[in-house]
Amino acid sequence: MALDRSARSASDILRLGRGEKLTVVERIFLLAIVSGVILLDVFGMLSTPDADLLRSAVSILATATLALFVVSPLVATCALGLAFAVSFIVDAQTLVLTTAAVAAALVMRLGRTSLILSYTAGFLVATAVIAYGDTVAPVNVGIYLIAATVSGGVGFALRMAFARGHRLEQQLAASAEQERQAVLAERRWIAGELHDSIAHHLTIVSLHVQMLDDEQARPDSQEAIRVAARKAMTDLRFVIDLAEDGPRGAEVQIGDLAAALAEAREELEAAGHAVAFQGDPRDERIPRSAEIILARVARESATNILKYAGAGAIEMQLSVTDETAMLTIGSPMSATARRSLSSSRTGLERMAERVLGGSGEFSAGEVGDRWVVMARLPIARRPDAAVESVRKS
């Protein structure tokens, strides 16, 4: 896999299908070099009495075209070609060809594939014209070809270095984003666990604190507060221990459905609600994954009933078939409209997230004068049951 990624990266670099841009440092360096060479040419032209002004002007023009690579490699290449054509008038071909050899580095550094190929062909034609053309003195074009090759190699090396640097920056940015998402996921996980466990116990404490003024209910309320506080501390230590192990991609599988339903029933009865329960939470057909989710739904529903339900009986029903396991919890509506009660709806959202994450169905809302929560989860059929079904058919 690593070799495959390296091969793709090398292929992307060699394709050269995308034009590049000079960095700020490269632009400053290029403009400084061009300016220095032009100043030297101007100084030499002015300090030499018998200097050929037209020939010097063409040389300066060719040098100045290098600065155009800052704006557009295509425009700079066209301008350099124009300067080379003009150089034949004043016999300055070798001066412009020297500039063109240096410009090969910029073409390889910045140009697209089409521009690079066109520039290479044009440079070879120019050297052939000078080599076989009618010149005053013979010209060794091999020097210019070697210079252009070396210059182009430098430009290509710079291009690869910047491409690899850019790719490394992208990889580092992606890695940093993954770390940030992992931290956020860990925070969401901790917040969810605290909400599902600590908030439930705090709700019980808050409810029974209001009953401490009743002398008859005080002993039971004190015991309920003591038990809830002890459970809250136990759950808090559990969450802290899990968080110290590092981020988790999935929730920790805790929760026993029978124990969760029994605990919810005790807490609701302690708060003055009559609870009617139907079903067998220890049914072996319920898979562990569904049991965990339904246990959380039962616990969160009990928390919401303690917060918002009116006086009356609570109905819990667990229906299990070979296909699904469905938990339905109904509670009387409060005299205050539910939408008028303060609620973050975090509990409902987490219940829905858990059930839907298990490929189930979830609903919560008013049904007549009751608030009904329903969670239905699929049950994976056992292989022997599936074989038996096939035999019977």
Side-chain angles (χ1 to χ4, degrees):
M1 183 64 69
L3 292 176
D4 182 56
R5 285 197 296 266
S6 300
R8 285 200 302 267
S9 300
S11 176
D12 291 340
I13 293 173
L14 292 174
R15 192 174 297 124
L16 303 177
R18 182 174 59 88
E20 300 287 338
K21 291 184 178 180
L22 293 174
T23 63
V24 176
V25 175
E26 288 178 313
R27 293 178 183 180
I28 295 175
F29 181 78
L30 175 61
L31 293 177
I33 294 297
V34 171
S35 300
V37 173
I38 291 176
L39 289 175
L40 289 176
D41 287 344
V42 172
F43 178 77
M45 181 178 61
L46 297 177
S47 60
T48 305
D50 56 346
D52 189 339
L53 297 182
L54 291 178
R55 195 167 184 270
S56 299
V58 171
S59 176
I60 293 174
L61 175 63
T63 304
T65 59
L66 298 179
L68 295 177
F69 279 95
V70 175
V71 180
S72 171
L74 179 60
V75 173
T77 302
C78 294
L80 189 58
L82 179 62
F84 182 75
V86 174
S87 67
F88 282 92
I89 302 175
V90 296
D91 193 25
Q93 301 94 313
T94 56
L95 296 176
V96 178
L97 194 61
T98 302
T99 304
V102 175
L106 294 171
V107 173
M108 289 298 299
R109 169 70 179 88
L110 305 174
R112 297 174 179 268
T113 304
S114 57
L115 179 62
I116 293 173
L117 295 177
S118 300
Y119 189 87
T120 303
F123 189 85
L124 292 176
V125 170
T127 55
V129 169
I130 293 176
Y132 297 101
D134 185 14
T135 56
V136 177
V139 178
N140 185 3
V141 295
I143 297 176
Y144 298 99
L145 291 174
I146 294 174
T149 301
V150 173
S151 179
V154 172
F156 183 67
L158 289 174
R159 184 171 188 145
M160 286 195 298
F162 279 99
R164 288 171 179 166
H166 181 66
R167 188 169 61 255
L168 180 59
E169 289 178 359
Q170 291 180 332
Q171 292 174 350
L172 292 176
S175 177
E177 179 63 19
Q178 290 178 352
E179 291 183 7
R180 189 181 73 86
Q181 291 298 331
V183 171
L184 292 177
E186 176 71 359
R187 290 177 179 175
R188 287 192 295 267
W189 176 81
I190 294 176
E193 291 298 323
L194 290 176
H195 175 272
D196 291 345
S197 56
I198 309 302
H200 173 76
H201 299 307
L202 291 180
T203 299
I204 297 174
V205 170
S206 176
L207 175 66
H208 285 281
V209 163
Q210 301 175 21
M211 302 172 63
L212 292 177
D213 294 335
D214 188 344
E215 294 184 359
Q216 294 182 349
R218 183 180 300 165
D220 293 337
S221 296
Q222 290 175 337
E223 177 64 16
I225 292 173
R226 184 183 67 81
V227 172
R230 185 180 69 252
K231 290 182 178 179
M233 290 299 299
T234 301
D235 288 348
L236 180 60
R237 293 192 192 98
F238 179 74
V239 172
I240 292 175
D241 290 341
L242 290 176
E244 289 178 350
D245 291 339
R248 286 168 174 74
E251 294 178 300
V252 178
Q253 297 188 351
I254 59 175
D256 178 82
L257 180 57
L261 289 172
E263 182 181 356
R265 185 173 182 175
E266 292 176 2
E267 292 169 347
L268 293 173
E269 290 177 344
H273 294 282
V275 180
F277 177 78
Q278 294 181 353
D280 181 11
R282 300 191 184 278
D283 194 314
E284 294 182 355
R285 291 175 295 179
I286 305 176
R288 178 60 175 162
S289 58
E291 184 180 356
I292 294 169
I293 296 174
L294 293 178
R296 290 300 183 98
V297 171
R299 192 173 199 180
E300 182 60 36
S301 297
T303 302
N304 290 339
I305 290 172
L306 293 173
K307 287 181 178 180
Y308 308 117
I314 308 299
E315 296 177 354
M316 295 183 178
Q317 182 176 0
L318 178 63
S319 302
V320 182
T321 67
D322 291 337
E323 303 294 335
T324 61
M326 182 175 68
L327 177 64
T328 305
I329 301 176
S331 59
M333 296 290 295
S334 174
T336 304
R338 190 176 180 91
R339 60 178 174 273
S340 301
L341 298 173
S342 175
S343 173
S344 65
R345 300 186 66 85
T346 302
L348 290 176
E349 292 175 356
R350 283 188 60 78
M351 283 193 290
E353 180 182 346
R354 292 176 186 276
V355 175
L356 296 178
S359 302
E361 301 175 17
F362 178 82
S363 65
E366 300 179 20
V367 179
D369 60 348
R370 300 180 68 77
W371 181 267
V372 179
V373 174
M374 187 279 294
R376 180 188 288 111
L377 290 166
I379 294 179
R381 301 184 66 183
R382 294 173 297 178
D384 56 346
V387 171
E388 185 66 23
S389 176
V390 172
R391 288 176 179 175
K392 290 182 179 179
S393 61

